[in-house]
Amino acid sequence: MDLNLGETKILIKKENITKVIESFRKKFAAYEDVKTGDVNTIEDVFWEFGYNIITDDDGNITELDTVSSDLPDGQEEFFEAIAPVVEDGSFIHLKREDTHWKFVFEKGNVKRLDSEIVFYDKPMTYDRAMCLINEIIEHLCEVKRIKE
C-alpha cells in the first residue's frame, strides 16, 4: 500500500544545508539502492526519499511535498541522518491506510510516534469516551513537556 505524506512542519536553516548533504552521504554511502554519488544539491538529497523541498525567501527549508504517492523505504534512517540539523519542534507525518506515524525532531534526535485509526461500528460508551479524553490530556501534557 502507498506511503503518503501528511502534515509537516520542518525547519532546516540555510546555513545547515551543506551539513544535511554531508550527513546523507555519510549515512547512505554503503547502501546499494541509494545513489549518493549522484547527489550534489539539497534537492537531490530529498528527492532520493521522495520529497520536494519548499524554502522561504531566506533559503531555509520550511516545508516538504511528495514527488509520488509511494515514498521509498528508508524514511526513518533518512530522518535520523538529518536530525542533528533539523530545528526542534519540526515533525513529519506519514500515513499508510489506517496507520499513521509522526517523526518528531528534538535536541538533534528524531523520535517515531505511532498511531492507528480505528473505526467503531457501535456508539461510543461513556467509559470509552472518558478513556479517550484522558489519553488526549496525557498527550497534551507530554507535548508541553517536550516544548519546555
Side-chain angles (χ1 to χ4, degrees), residues 89 102 104-107 111-113 133-148:
K102 190 182 276 190
V104 179
F105 297 87
E106 293 293 333
K107 298 178 184 172
K111 182 177 179 182
R112 179 181 168 149
L113 305 175
I133 289 170
N134 286 331
E135 287 180 30
I136 291 168
I137 291 169
E138 286 177 26
H139 174 74
L140 291 173
C141 290
E142 181 64 26
V143 168
K144 185 173 175 31
R145 279 192 292 268
I146 288 172
K147 287 183 179 180
E148 292 174 346

Side-chain angles (χ1 to χ4, degrees), residues 11-128:
L11 177 59
I12 300 173
K13 293 184 178 175
K14 180 180 179 179
E15 61 265 19
N16 290 326
I17 288 178
T18 55
K19 292 178 184 175
V20 172
I21 297 169
E22 292 167 6
S23 296
F24 168 81
R25 286 186 178 147
K26 184 177 177 183
K27 175 79 174 184
F28 294 99
Y31 285 60
E32 291 179 15
D33 55 340
V34 179
K35 302 171 189 114
T36 57
D38 297 338
V39 173
N40 299 309
T41 66
I42 192 66
E43 290 83 3
D44 294 340
V45 169
F46 280 88
W47 183 267
E48 279 295 313
F49 286 91
Y51 301 102
N52 281 322
I53 59 169
I54 298 169
T55 58
D56 62 13
D57 292 339
D58 297 326
N60 302 311
I61 297 171
T62 57
E63 198 173 333
L64 300 178
D65 190 19
T66 54
V67 295
S68 78
S69 63
D70 190 16
L71 295 173
D73 292 336
Q75 298 291 315
E76 191 161 358
E77 292 86 356
F78 174 58
F79 295 135
E80 286 172 356
I82 68 170
V85 295
V86 177
E87 293 295 310
D88 289 354
S90 296
F91 65 86
I92 310 294
H93 172 202
L94 297 174
K95 53 189 174 178
R96 178 179 283 141
E97 288 187 347
D98 294 337
T99 304
H100 294 232
W101 57 98
K102 190 182 276 190
F103 293 102
V104 179
F105 297 87
E106 293 293 333
K107 298 178 184 172
N109 296 303
V110 64
K111 182 177 179 182
R112 179 181 168 149
L113 305 175
D114 294 309
S115 69
E116 187 173 334
I117 295 176
V118 179
F119 297 97
Y120 293 97
D121 61 349
K122 297 177 184 173
M124 189 177 297
T125 65
Y126 175 82
D127 290 340
R128 177 68 182 141

